Amino acid sequence: MESAAIGIAGLFGVIGAGLGLGAIISPEWAARLVRMQADPANPEGYAEFRATFGGVFLFLHLAFLASIILNQGVIGAAAVLSFGWGGAALGRILSLMLDGEQVRTKHNFVSIVVETAAAIAFALPVANFVINPPA
């Protein structure tokens, strides 16, 4: 079970790193993906997409993948990403409850599913560690 849990989380790590790399390469793509737009009058918005949606995503997920490769800190790194993705899903769910009908879009419902799936995938190695602690 341990290797399967880490493998599933690793797949989501590759996906998360890919999303980050895509945002670094093309902030316009990232803007479309998250349904936001940088203000052309304030070009530093593109830097924000590259930094937040790109750099943070890429390097958090690369750190997790490195923890798998080095077999060091996998559980802690997985827990951090699980909480991060879970927090994104929770924030989106709260938005659906608090921000009115206009935010109840297909994009938000699909995003909740994706974010929850990622949170669960990264929680798998943590759950396995709790259920089957090392001897």
Side-chain angles (χ1 to χ4, degrees):
M1 171 64 178
E2 178 183 8
S3 62
I6 292 173
I8 292 167
L11 173 63
F12 275 83
V14 170
I15 293 167
L19 289 170
L21 181 61
I24 285 176
I25 293 169
S26 176
E28 296 84 2
W29 170 81
R32 286 190 308 275
L33 182 68
V34 298
R35 308 292 200 270
M36 295 176 70
Q37 179 177 323
D39 181 356
N42 297 302
E44 62 271 4
Y46 293 101
E48 189 64 34
F49 278 105
R50 288 186 203 274
T52 305
F53 294 105
V56 172
F57 252 68
L58 175 61
F59 283 92
L60 278 175
H61 290 86
L62 285 178
F64 175 70
L65 294 171
S67 77
I68 292 173
I69 292 166
L70 299 172
N71 196 26
Q72 295 292 318
V74 173
I75 304 307
V80 167
L81 284 172
S82 180
F83 274 92
W85 281 100
L90 177 62
R92 200 174 298 273
I93 290 166
L94 287 172
S95 181
L96 291 177
M97 293 169 30
L98 301 173
D99 297 333
E101 191 69 31
Q102 71 275 9
V103 300
R104 294 187 184 115
T105 64
K106 179 181 175 184
H107 172 79
N108 276 328
F109 287 108
V110 169
S111 294
I112 288 169
V113 170
V114 170
E115 291 157 355
T116 302
I120 291 168
F122 288 115
L124 290 174
V126 180
N128 185 64
F129 179 82
V130 170
I131 294 167
N132 303 305

